[in-house]
Amino acid sequence: MTINLEIQRFNPEVDSAPYFKTYAVEVEPTDRMLDALMHIKRNIDGSLAFRKSCAHGVCGSDAMVIDGKERLACKTLVRDVAEKAGVTVRIEPARHQQVQRDLMVKQDVFFDNYKKVKPFFIANEEKKPAEREFIQSEAERAEIDDPTKCILCGACYSACPVLDKNPNFIGPAAIVQAARWVFDSRDQGLPARLDVLDQPNGVWACENHFECTRACPREIKVTKLINFTKRAITKYREERGETVNDGQGAQA
Ligand code: SF4
Ligand code: FES
């Protein structure tokens, strides 16, 4: 069947503003939207720019807004967004990141925020066994199951309504990545990452819209992880007779 893909185009070298261009593409309902984009690039318009790598939902390169929702193009079937021939499907770049070209966005801020949470193992020296490796129970491992699934696609970052009004919010993905270590029994956890998380633009900027959870192609319970992190920070501060740095204290 033939469907129309209405794709946002923008080449900063020649265009003063983004615009939409429509391509009629012959597809099967079981084709992936990435196949349709590849078809356009190979056979219709080689200037179309988008990112992709693994084509199997693993690398996180091709998050974009398809039919108004954040999705991975390689995990979205044509039939998910176009029930019959002649349908027009709009494809736009991910939100909250500057468009580099067409469907490609500049990911600098997103990855800077990721780096800020120290997304690597920091051994808990107090719990470190003297002569052998850390032992982690099944239950302890289960604590970090969900955040280890993150592929850093940025779909949650694009879907988050807080970032519409506060571009300084560190964003849901960075908090998920922090949670992966904060709740790891072998890691130093929260103290090593408090200076980034316990900030008005850290976890406290989250308003529980749940859009991140809805958008995540890995079905990570993003909002829940953010709330667990908020709770862990509150507990940590209370145990020390301190208050959280959510910006409310300064306003009071
Ligand atoms: S939490 Fe989900 S939506 Fe956000 S970056 Fe990770 S995989 Fe993508
Ligand atoms: S191309 Fe790797 S996740 Fe889609």
Side-chain angles (χ1 to χ4, degrees):
M1 67 180 189
T2 303
I3 60 167
N4 302 308
L5 296 188
E6 188 181 39
I7 302 178
Q8 183 174 313
R9 303 294 311 266
F10 178 63
N11 177 353
E13 288 174 13
V14 292
D15 300 322
S16 55
Y19 63 97
F20 284 93
K21 189 165 177 182
T22 303
Y23 301 88
V25 193
E26 187 60 29
V27 287
E28 294 293 329
T30 49
D31 283 346
R32 302 164 307 172
M33 292 306 285
L34 181 62
D35 298 322
L37 290 173
M38 291 296 293
H39 177 82
I40 294 171
K41 185 152 182 81
R42 285 182 183 138
N43 304 302
I44 305 175
D45 185 346
S47 71
L48 179 64
F50 54 91
R51 280 198 185 92
K52 62 108 186 157
S53 182
C54 71
H56 286 87
V58 178
C59 72
S61 305
D62 60 344
M64 54 187 77
V65 178
I66 301 175
D67 193 28
K69 287 187 188 157
E70 282 73 14
R71 310 175 202 250
L72 297 177
C74 66
K75 295 284 281 182
T76 306
L77 300 184
V78 167
R79 69 178 180 211
D80 294 338
V81 288
E83 285 171 5
K84 54 183 190 307
V87 165
T88 297
V89 179
R90 184 171 268 213
I91 306 184
E92 299 155 277
R95 295 178 261 243
H96 304 133
Q97 296 174 88
Q98 192 188 332
V99 176
Q100 203 164 15
R101 181 166 166 161
D102 298 337
L103 301 172
M104 289 168 54
V105 291
K106 283 190 76 161
Q107 298 174 302
D108 316 34
V109 175
F110 178 79
F111 280 108
D112 282 350
N113 290 344
Y114 165 60
K115 286 180 210 158
K116 278 183 200 159
V117 303
K118 301 190 183 85
F120 43 80
F121 181 58
I122 306 173
N124 186 329
E125 295 299 332
E126 282 173 23
K127 289 192 190 168
K128 203 170 176 179
E131 287 175 3
R132 55 176 303 173
E133 73 274 21
F134 277 101
I135 303 291
Q136 192 168 50
S137 70
E138 274 186 38
E140 285 171 336
R141 175 60 181 79
E143 291 281 309
I144 52 167
D145 249 9
D146 215 22
T148 53
K149 294 188 295 190
C150 178
I151 55 172
L152 285 167
C153 67
C156 55
Y157 193 83
S158 173
C160 175
V162 173
L163 282 154
D164 289 348
K165 54 187 177 185
N166 179 8
N168 295 320
F169 173 36
I170 192 167
I175 301 172
V176 166
Q177 289 289 334
R180 187 259 169 269
W181 302 104
V182 164
F183 298 110
D184 188 322
S185 59
R186 304 159 299 179
D187 189 280
Q188 210 190 88
L190 196 54
R193 299 168 179 93
L194 263 181
D195 57 337
V196 179
L197 297 174
D198 186 17
Q199 295 292 332
N201 289 324
V203 295
W204 306 115
C206 169
E207 296 171 353
N208 283 313
H209 291 279
F210 281 87
E211 291 300 329
C212 50
T213 303
R214 281 184 206 108
C216 179
R218 303 287 293 166
E219 298 179 355
I220 297 170
K221 295 178 185 66
V222 181
T223 320
K224 190 172 167 186
L225 283 171
I226 296 172
N227 284 325
F228 278 179
T229 310
K230 284 180 180 173
R231 225 176 289 164
I233 294 170
T234 304
K235 184 166 175 276
Y236 180 93
R237 291 298 189 202
E238 279 175 0
E239 283 170 357
R240 285 158 184 77
E242 299 167 358
T243 50
V244 300
N245 183 26
D246 58 2
Q248 302 300 314
Q251 288 166 18

